[in-house]
Amino acid sequence: MSTVRALRPSTVVVGLVTGGALIVAGWWAYRVLHRPLAGPGGGSGAAARLCGLVAGYLGVVQVLLAARLPWFEQTVAMRPARLIHVGCGLSFLALIVAHAVLAIASNAASVWTPFASALIGLVVDLPYLWLAVLGLVLLLVEVVTSVPAVRRAMPYGWWHLLHLVVHPAIVISFAHQLYGPDLLTSPARVLWTALHLAALGVFAWYRLLAPVRLTLRHQFTVAAVEPETHGVVSIIVSGRMLDAVGARPGQYFRLRPLDWPMWWHSHPFSLSAAPRSDELRFTVKAVGDYSVAMAGLAPGRWLLVSGPYGALTTTARPRRPVLLVAGGMGIAPLRALFEDLDDTLDITLLYRTERADQIVFRGELDDLADDLDATVHYLTGPAPTGEQDDPLSCQRLTTLVPRLADHDAYVCGPPGMVASTVRSLRAAGLRRHHIHAEASTF
């Protein structure tokens, strides 16, 4: 008997985005068939219109992806979510550049002028085109600052601020779209406007208004800051009716202390204990200016909070043995997951650090292991140089975890460790839908 497996949420999102792009392209094809191409530059002009329409649609998609929609943030794992966002962004930029180049080339061919003169003519003659040019410049700034080497050289707050310019770039370019030949006299102009306004409204609600509403309702306040190990602290957050927030172990929130200089951007922090009705616990390692400042928060400070986010939960887990694999501060969400598991399950936790003094929650993990009759292995040692000395290689994993292929695996840690562990688990026979992995860096 064959079984039908549900589609991954990321596959559903990619299908919806692709389907929408095909609908837009199909509508463009219908318009072209009823308006034959003529004269020099007719073909490049039609191609420019196609690129512009699909780019406009992808701009709406980008705004929705950045809006932190609860369904998307809580069901699509972080890595595929990032890939979808980057893929849409690159396609969006490529289509906008192609649209601009093809439109200028079409105009140059139709009036027999050089490319530069055609560009100046379009900017002068077409309504709101100068705003579209400004929007393209802003997008190029965002692309340059997203280059890994440039991004690493910038403070996170400044990078985050520049990364947000994509949204005003889309907004100021919108009027130019309405004066294009496909929308100027078409009833679709109303639908196109409604689509963009709806996306803007969704973004404003989930990125701006919902966090304020959540904060005012639950009154998130720093109750205590407790040291765990060297450079690692747990921030205890109190509030009202916190069980109504709907958080699950393994998820994270974005926290924004209402103090200078942290108030103007938020950072993601995972729950490191199962949420309670009066308390949430986040564990932070001081690795940058923001996390160092978080460790120095004084009790009584208010926090602007958004969330919960993250798909690393036990919501859809079958009744199978469970393997938890943590690296470094990836232990925070897995510590919360550990607490949430059923004591009737066969549970194994592997915790990888370079030194024994970097182990966080050792006492808590040992107590949970006793309560759940679970097995915990602390794997310490320098970063491996190859598979032969990797404690998370396929061979080592199969030795440490009997019947490994029958497990559900949850993996969280640095990106390189997560990628290599997932490869080891796949080589050991685990199917992809039984591996739930997130990188602990955002």
Side-chain angles (χ1 to χ4, degrees):
M1 180 184 298
S2 62
T3 58
V4 178
R5 188 181 306 159
L7 292 175
R8 286 171 171 264
S10 56
T11 304
V12 174
V13 173
V14 171
L16 290 173
V17 172
T18 304
L22 291 175
I23 291 173
V24 172
W27 181 76
W28 166 86
Y30 171 81
R31 296 278 297 178
V32 168
L33 288 175
H34 287 76
R35 184 180 294 178
L37 307 177
S44 56
R49 288 157 46 198
L50 173 62
C51 292
L53 287 169
V54 178
Y57 163 75
L58 290 180
V60 170
V61 172
Q62 282 292 84
V63 171
L64 291 175
L65 291 176
R68 297 175 188 155
L69 294 167
W71 178 85
F72 183 79
E73 297 290 340
Q74 296 175 11
T75 57
V76 180
M78 193 176 302
R79 184 174 183 275
R82 184 181 293 116
L83 291 175
I84 291 171
H85 188 70
V86 171
C88 283
L90 292 176
S91 301
F92 173 57
L93 179 66
L95 286 168
I96 285 181
V97 172
H99 166 71
V101 172
L102 289 168
I104 297 168
S106 174
N107 186 59
S110 63
V111 297
W112 302 96
T113 61
F115 190 88
S117 300
L119 170 60
I120 295 172
L122 285 175
V123 172
V124 171
D125 295 337
L126 295 185
Y128 303 108
L129 186 60
W130 67 274
L131 285 175
V133 173
L134 178 59
L136 179 57
V137 172
L138 291 175
L139 287 175
L140 293 175
V141 169
E142 190 271 336
V143 169
V144 171
T145 57
S146 295
V147 173
V150 178
R151 177 176 176 176
R152 285 192 295 268
M154 297 179 63
Y156 176 83
W158 285 108
W159 173 84
H160 185 262
L161 183 64
L162 289 173
H163 191 68
L164 292 176
V165 301
V166 66
H167 303 112
I170 292 172
V171 169
I172 65 176
S173 301
F174 174 69
H176 154 68
Q177 298 178 46
L178 295 182
Y179 284 87
D182 290 301
L183 294 174
L184 181 60
T185 59
S186 171
R189 193 182 202 206
V190 176
L191 179 61
W192 196 254
T193 302
L195 181 66
H196 282 72
L197 289 177
L200 184 62
V202 168
F203 181 88
W205 173 254
Y206 286 110
R207 286 294 293 268
L208 303 175
L209 301 179
V212 173
R213 176 178 178 271
L214 187 72
T215 299
L216 292 176
R217 180 184 181 191
H218 297 287
Q219 300 179 15
F220 300 99
T221 308
V222 176
V225 178
E226 301 175 348
E228 298 289 352
T229 63
H230 178 69
V232 178
V233 300
S234 286
I235 300 173
I236 312 301
V237 176
S238 62
R240 299 173 58 250
M241 303 179 297
L242 296 185
D243 49 349
V245 175
R248 294 186 57 85
Q251 293 187 310
Y252 66 93
F253 288 78
R254 299 192 71 94
L255 307 182
R256 185 194 304 261
L258 300 180
D259 285 346
W260 177 264
M262 297 180 289
W263 65 268
W264 60 294
H265 61 95
S266 62
H267 275 229
F269 296 102
S270 295
L271 292 167
S272 60
R276 293 166 36 183
S277 61
D278 61 344
E279 180 180 293
L280 302 174
R281 187 178 79 173
F282 304 90
T283 301
V284 180
K285 182 176 182 180
V287 293
D289 294 343
Y290 197 95
S291 53
V292 169
M294 289 290 292
L297 286 175
R301 294 293 187 183
W302 270 51
L303 298 172
L304 185 64
V305 174
S306 61
Y309 306 121
L312 194 69
T313 68
T314 60
T315 302
R317 182 182 53 77
R319 306 288 295 181
R320 295 162 53 92
V322 175
L323 170 64
L324 307 174
V325 185
M329 286 307 297
I331 190 60
L334 295 192
R335 155 65 182 83
L337 271 178
F338 198 8
E339 185 180 354
D340 192 44
L341 294 173
D342 193 324
D343 60 4
T344 62
L345 296 172
D346 179 9
I347 306 168
T348 302
L349 169 66
L350 307 180
Y351 185 6
R352 175 80 171 96
T353 61
E354 291 190 1
R355 303 191 312 272
D357 63 355
Q358 294 175 328
I359 295 174
V360 187
F361 310 129
R362 184 160 196 161
E364 296 181 16
L365 295 173
D366 290 340
D367 290 342
L368 283 170
D370 290 339
D371 293 342
L372 298 172
D373 195 22
T375 301
V376 178
H377 295 287
Y378 299 102
L379 310 175
T380 59
T385 58
E387 187 175 349
Q388 69 280 357
D389 62 347
D390 185 358
L392 298 175
S393 66
C394 177
Q395 182 178 357
R396 299 284 185 89
L397 288 176
T398 53
T399 301
L400 288 170
V401 187
R403 301 183 297 111
L404 177 58
D406 296 332
H407 284 65
D408 270 290
Y410 292 82
V411 186
C412 189
M417 168 260 173
V418 170
S420 63
T421 302
V422 169
R423 287 194 297 268
S424 296
L425 292 171
R426 292 283 290 155
L430 267 76
R431 295 187 177 182
R432 192 175 299 277
H433 62 282
H434 288 305
I435 301 174
H436 317 276
E438 296 282 22
S440 58
T441 55
F442 291 79

